Amino acid sequence: MQFHLNGFRTGNPEIAEPSEQDKTSFNPDSLANEVDVLVIGCGPAGLTLAAQLAAFPDIKTQIVDQRPGPLLLGQADGVACRTMEMFEAFGFSERVLKEAHWINETTFWKPDDTCENKIARHGRIQDVEDGLSEFPHVVLNQARVHDFYLEVMRNSANRLQPHYSRRLLGVHVDGAVCSAYAAPSHPVTVSLERIDPAHQGQIETVKARYVVGCDGARSAVRQFLGRVLRGDSANQAWGVMDVLAVTNFPDIRMKALIQSAHEGSIVLIPREGGYLVRIYVELDKLKEDERVAGRNITLDRLIAAAQRILRPYTLEVKEVAWWSVYEIGQRLCDKFDDVPDADVAHRPPHIFIAGDACHTHSPKAGQGMNVSMQDTFNLGWKLAAVLLRRCAAKILHTYSAERQGIAKELIDFDREWVKMLSAPLKSSTDGEGVDPAEVQRYFVKHGHYTAGTATKYKPSLISAEPSHQHLAKGLVIGMRFHSAPVIRLADAKPVRLGDASKADGRWRIFAFADAQAPSARTSRVRGLCEFFADSPQSPVRRYTPATADIDAVIDVRAVFQQGHRELNIDAMPQFLLPTKGRYALRDYEKMFCPDLKGNTDVFDLREIDRELGCVVVVRPDQYVANVLPLDAYADLSAFFAGFMLPAA
Ligand SMILES: Cc1cc2nc3c(=O)[nH]c(=O)nc-3n(C[C@H](O)[C@H](O)[C@H](O)COP(=O)(O)OP(=O)(O)OC[C@H]3O[C@@H](n4cnc5c(N)ncnc54)[C@H](O)[C@@H]3O)c2cc1C
């Protein structure tokens, strides 16, 4: 982590200097009546968005929730590898790694072939395949994930905090906005009701440039937009409990998928802290529009069901930390913003929905929290770029286009997975049903999917056609930048290359060098640096304000092929040693070399053309946007010109 750039400071470097906005206007008790972005809902989607926007002191963000305070218990717990990569961008992955339970292996249980009233283990696999991510799959209570985001927000320059006990009453959009790109400055008016006893019934009004409904499966924002969650009627009741229990079930500290012959199935998730266990028990199928509350399912019934499924093993529940019974259907909204398809060319969106507000699915694939956070990680940088006038407002359309497609894939996957886990099992006596081995095969086959690393955005104005993909076959356009170990040239520190991409709204360009020494006059990477530094067509020059640091908008990093001891830092292109901040201090963290000692050469791992090298453009949400030859200067300029606005 870099700090002291603008002068030496004592204390925790994660706490930003307070901004002018914080000094003058933020009041945790009363709402600002005019903001840039109003976020409704402090779940994972809302907090990811608020934490992302908190990185920009010039953007005024407000986040509200009807709850009286932060979530303390329950809800989701699965944190996919891809989500951990995102947590690293927000700066708290290491704390999650320490506190969470790691899912290293998953076991599979089915009825014993010799006695179908007993379960027996039939499979055991590594949970995440080697090399898929530099981070593991972990589980940690959703409330703790919220805590980490809340801390990022509190430490930001604007000291952002949620306003609790506010319930959304209404959303109104200025009529003029429905027909033009040139909208009034704060076109959305939101009314909220205070529901804390001291202010019960008080109505507050907020005008916003953008409103984002992260208000869960029963989203009021979605209803105001007139959008609906559509899905099949196969609604399912689920029981879930977080328990401290004594058991002789041997895989109690493994993730286990357990299918009994006649008593249903369990997904068992060991939890953080070494003792707690989450047990998901599949309960009744519900009729269309039936609510699970009407079934009066008790905790005792849940425990009894779990005990029956686990036979011959015993389960003695000592304490239940949290339990819930809820219904879930696979449902999806057809668009995640307020602009009908027919109007996309005429006006940008001003209201968005994210997370469970636009897609719901079963907890069996452990995706709800992960996908919700990825929704708003996708949206946050786009809103910031438009508000800071770095990008044209048309990029906001890519949010719904990209995330709706991903949600649809998720729902299709979830539907298939749930069907498989709920179907009767094939046994030695009954040839009908699903083969348990098939369940395991399906789980392995979709490992990339559940790890969150299979997301692939289609070509768009911010994701190029793969014309030069052969130059870096392992860094696929539209997919997340697959990090790899490297050595930082200036201080020989082993680092993860992907960690360079922080949640700060900046674009990254990784220049993977050609085979020549970077000091050679004919080096292609040197030529690229000269283009960035000197050419009027350079995206770095065109889009960076004259008063800002040279890497404030586009952060260029280089990866050389030579070992770090073979290169002389004095001979490197000066563009890769930029001077920054009030003292024009030199930034030494732009250059990397392969980790030859660790035998993990990034050029081999990511199949980068050693002769030619290449340029890899990475979006602020860590997705690969383009792969180009090192000397494709015109293509690089044209790509950015498609959506960026020249700096004022
Ligand atoms: C009770 C419950 C139990 C769950 N259990 C599991 C589980 O066991 N495993 C699993 O994988 N997933 C579970 N989920 C789903 C998982 O928590 C979600 O997928 C994930 O939280 C989605 O995040 P989100 O931010 O989109 O929505 P949410 O986490 O639902 O957050 C929405 C927020 O909006 C607020 N809100 C709603 N309406 C308004 C309004 N009108 N005005 C102001 N604020 C409002 C809510 O108070 C809430 O804080 C559960 C969800 C719920 C609600």
Side-chain angles (χ1 to χ4, degrees):
M1 129 177 238
Q2 290 178 296
F3 47 97
H4 299 317
L5 174 62
N6 288 309
F8 178 80
R9 277 179 64 210
T10 57
N12 181 353
E14 290 190 338
I15 302 178
E17 292 266 30
S19 68
E20 285 309 309
Q21 195 190 125
D22 171 59
K23 286 178 203 152
T24 55
S25 66
F26 187 78
N27 179 349
D29 193 48
S30 83
L31 293 180
N33 45 29
E34 206 170 80
V35 296
D36 293 313
V37 185
L38 178 65
V39 183
I40 316 286
C42 288
L47 291 173
T48 304
L49 180 60
Q52 168 69 99
L53 292 170
F56 307 95
D58 295 335
I59 294 177
K60 200 164 181 177
T61 304
Q62 198 151 249
I63 175 164
V64 296
D65 200 292
Q66 63 188 6
R67 287 179 189 278
L71 184 75
L72 299 175
L73 280 171
Q75 300 200 199
D77 57 7
V79 179
C81 304
R82 170 67 198 127
T83 302
M84 289 297 295
E85 295 172 359
M86 184 185 71
F87 286 171
E88 173 55 34
F90 281 98
F92 58 80
S93 70
E94 275 162 20
R95 277 181 295 160
V96 174
L97 284 176
K98 193 171 166 197
E99 187 173 325
H101 179 86
W102 294 28
I103 304 288
N104 301 309
E105 296 191 352
T106 295
T107 66
F108 296 82
W109 291 72
K110 69 177 180 72
D112 192 338
D113 287 337
T114 56
C115 172
E116 67 166 23
N117 291 331
K118 293 199 246 173
I119 53 166
R121 191 197 291 122
H122 72 94
R124 178 170 179 152
I125 57 160
Q126 184 172 317
D127 189 76
V128 176
E129 75 179 50
D130 290 335
L132 189 63
S133 171
E134 289 171 324
F135 288 94
H137 169 200
V138 303
V139 287
L140 182 66
N141 180 240
Q142 182 173 326
R144 290 295 293 143
V145 172
H146 289 194
D147 288 345
F148 289 119
Y149 278 122
L150 289 166
E151 192 179 330
V152 170
M153 289 157 55
R154 266 196 312 275
N155 289 345
S156 70
N158 291 341
R159 306 289 191 259
L160 180 60
Q161 296 175 54
H163 291 83
Y164 292 108
S165 300
R166 265 87 174 179
R167 182 182 295 133
L168 179 77
L169 285 184
V171 182
H172 168 78
V173 190
D174 190 314
V177 87
C178 298
S179 59
Y181 261 89
S185 69
H186 291 77
V188 194
T189 306
V190 173
S191 51
L192 298 142
E193 180 190 10
R194 292 194 75 161
I195 50 177
D196 49 320
H199 304 90
Q200 192 94 38
Q202 210 171 296
I203 306 294
E204 294 168 310
T205 303
V206 180
K207 285 179 121 356
R209 291 181 201 273
Y210 299 102
V211 169
V212 187
C214 303
D215 49 346
R218 290 182 211 150
S219 169
V221 177
R222 182 186 69 231
Q223 285 160 32
F224 286 115
L225 292 182
R227 300 216 178 272
V228 278
L229 282 179
R230 290 182 212 284
D232 52 31
S233 56
N235 281 5
Q236 181 74 45
W238 276 89
V240 51
M241 51 187 174
D242 289 340
V243 300
L244 295 166
V246 176
T247 178
N248 57 359
F249 180 63
D251 288 352
I252 195 72
R253 300 308 300 164
M254 297 278 183
K255 178 173 172 181
L257 304 182
I258 304 159
Q259 291 173 287
S260 71
H262 305 295
E263 303 293 348
S265 59
I266 278 181
V267 179
L268 189 144
I269 316 271
R271 287 282 300 271
E272 64 274 16
Y275 302 101
L276 193 71
V277 177
R278 169 163 287 195
I279 302 177
Y280 284 109
V281 186
E282 193 175 359
L283 298 169
D284 313 343
K285 272 253 177 322
L286 301 174
K287 297 196 197 92
E288 193 158 1
D289 297 328
E290 183 188 358
R291 304 308 306 265
V292 72
R295 298 246 168 166
N296 289 325
I297 295 168
T298 61
L299 174 61
D300 286 345
R301 187 178 149 199
L302 253 186
I303 295 173
Q307 287 167 333
R308 283 196 305 274
I309 295 167
L310 281 174
R311 272 183 208 147
Y313 301 104
T314 56
L315 178 79
E316 196 187 333
V317 174
K318 299 289 186 184
E319 185 178 327
V320 179
W322 175 80
W323 74 283
S324 170
V325 178
Y326 64 104
E327 63 266 324
I328 224 77
Q330 284 102 357
R331 291 170 184 264
L332 175 66
C333 202
D334 57 355
K335 202 150 187 298
F336 294 2
D337 63 33
D338 61 326
V339 180
D341 281 334
D343 290 351
V344 164
H346 313 300
R347 65 178 175 106
H350 285 272
I351 306 177
F352 305 84
I353 47 175
D356 276 13
C358 29
H359 43 76
T360 63
H361 17 79
S362 85
K364 277 198 172 167
Q367 295 299 301
M369 174 163 69
N370 294 288
V371 178
S372 300
M373 292 188 282
Q374 293 294 337
D375 279 351
T376 46
F377 195 36
N378 179 295
L379 178 61
W381 71 266
K382 295 174 184 172
L383 283 172
V386 172
L387 286 164
L388 297 173
R389 296 189 171 75
R390 289 180 187 170
C391 284
K394 64 185 176 183
I395 66 159
L396 297 176
H397 288 298
T398 64
Y399 163 67
S400 180
E402 292 187 335
R403 296 308 298 173
Q404 206 271 352
I406 298 303
K408 175 153 189 339
E409 282 171 28
L410 167 64
I411 291 209
D412 292 344
F413 162 75
D414 190 48
R415 191 174 284 135
E416 200 57 30
W417 182 227
V418 167
K419 201 164 87 190
M420 198 165 252
L421 286 188
S422 309
L425 288 178
K426 200 183 269 184
S427 68
S428 48
T429 50
D430 182 359
E432 293 294 304
V434 176
D435 183 349
E438 186 54 35
V439 176
Q440 185 175 326
R441 272 198 296 277
Y442 190 85
F443 181 89
V444 173
K445 184 171 160 209
H446 291 85
H448 291 219
Y449 201 83
T450 45
T453 56
T455 296
K456 187 173 183 190
Y457 295 134
K458 295 200 172 92
S460 70
L461 76 166
I462 52 169
S463 194
E465 292 284 349
S467 315
H468 301 279
Q469 187 66 72
H470 60 280
L471 295 175
K473 290 186 192 139
L475 295 171
V476 179
I477 297 174
M479 301 186 81
R480 81 19 161 142
F481 180 80
H482 192 174
S483 179
V486 286
I487 305 292
R488 200 159 57 198
L489 177 62
D491 59 358
K493 183 181 177 188
V495 293
R496 297 177 292 235
L497 188 57
D499 290 4
S501 291
K502 296 298 177 215
D504 55 11
R506 291 192 284 169
W507 286 76
R508 260 90 200 176
I509 293 180
F510 291 95
F512 288 92
D514 52 313
Q516 296 185 71
S519 52
R521 278 221 315 279
T522 49
S523 150
R524 287 153 62 94
V525 82
R526 177 170 285 274
L528 177 72
C529 289
E530 283 163 11
F531 163 72
F532 281 140
D534 304 328
S535 168
Q537 306 308 318
S538 156
V540 177
R541 287 191 51 180
R542 286 187 80 183
Y543 305 116
T544 309
T547 52
D549 287 334
I550 191 68
D551 60 357
V553 178
I554 301 174
D555 176 16
V556 180
R557 312 262 173 154
V559 189
F560 303 113
Q561 297 194 29
Q562 295 77 3
H564 64 281
R565 290 190 178 179
E566 294 170 48
L567 295 178
N568 180 357
I569 200 157
D570 296 345
M572 293 297 124
Q574 287 304 290
F575 179 77
L576 295 171
L577 288 159
T579 53
K580 294 163 44 179
R582 65 192 269 225
Y583 297 130
L585 298 181
R586 207 169 274 289
D587 185 340
Y588 288 95
E589 303 199 358
K590 304 290 187 194
M591 292 179 281
F592 305 91
C593 295
D595 182 358
L596 301 175
K597 197 166 141 196
N599 226 357
T600 51
D601 186 330
V602 58
F603 283 80
D604 293 335
L605 289 177
R606 302 294 164 253
E607 298 178 73
I608 294 160
D609 189 310
R610 285 190 176 273
E611 188 54 38
L612 300 174
C614 67
V615 168
V616 177
V617 180
V618 180
R619 301 170 11 167
D621 57 2
Q622 303 176 318
Y623 280 79
V624 177
N626 207 346
V627 174
L628 288 167
L630 280 168
D631 55 3
Y633 308 146
D635 289 350
L636 194 56
S637 302
F639 173 72
F640 280 103
F643 55 90
M644 297 284 283
L645 299 175

